[in-house]
Amino acid sequence: MGRLHLAPRALVCKNAVIEGDVQIGNGTVVHVGASIIAKNGPIVIGANNIICERATIINNHPTPLMIGDGNLLETDSRIEGRGIGHRNIVQVRSRVTGSSTLGNNCVVSATCSTEPTENVPDNTVLYGNPQSRHTRVDTDTDHTAVHNKHLEYIHEMLPRYNHIIEAE
């Protein structure tokens, strides 16, 4: 049986599925129906992430799966690679697959996915059908401001309508 380690300001809904050795950082939000499954190795989630409904994080590798700070994992997204950096957006029904990694300030657009062994460099946007990619030239200042406002709102509203797991 695994262990769940929650930082003091982490908000985790009781209806989220959490299995194995999982550490959730300060300010991170895990919505109802999200799944975090440390199958073969631990999962370490940084601070101020938003993990939306039905998002799945699964570690099929013996090494820790590291999730950085300030990421947004949208509904039905799936992280099963070796890890992701900071300030990424993994949009609806998109995937980080196999043993791939995602750098910092990346976007995996809706329904797109990484290659199974790919190391996606910082500031990369994966988009379209057929899938294309380009490098972001904007700064992440706007994204960070909106993300922080989103976190503030969730921290206020989520406990009003959901049962929350308390940090020990």
Side-chain angles (χ1 to χ4, degrees), residues 77-122:
S77 62
R78 185 175 180 94
I79 308 295
E80 58 186 42
R82 296 232 182 238
I84 66 174
H86 307 292
R87 298 174 312 281
N88 296 294
I89 302 172
V90 182
Q91 292 184 345
V92 174
R93 295 180 47 214
S94 59
R95 301 183 183 289
V96 177
T97 64
S99 61
S100 59
T101 61
L102 197 59
N104 299 314
N105 199 34
C106 296
V107 177
V108 182
S109 296
T111 71
C112 292
S113 64
T114 62
E115 296 296 326
T117 59
E118 179 177 21
N119 294 319
V120 178
D122 293 352

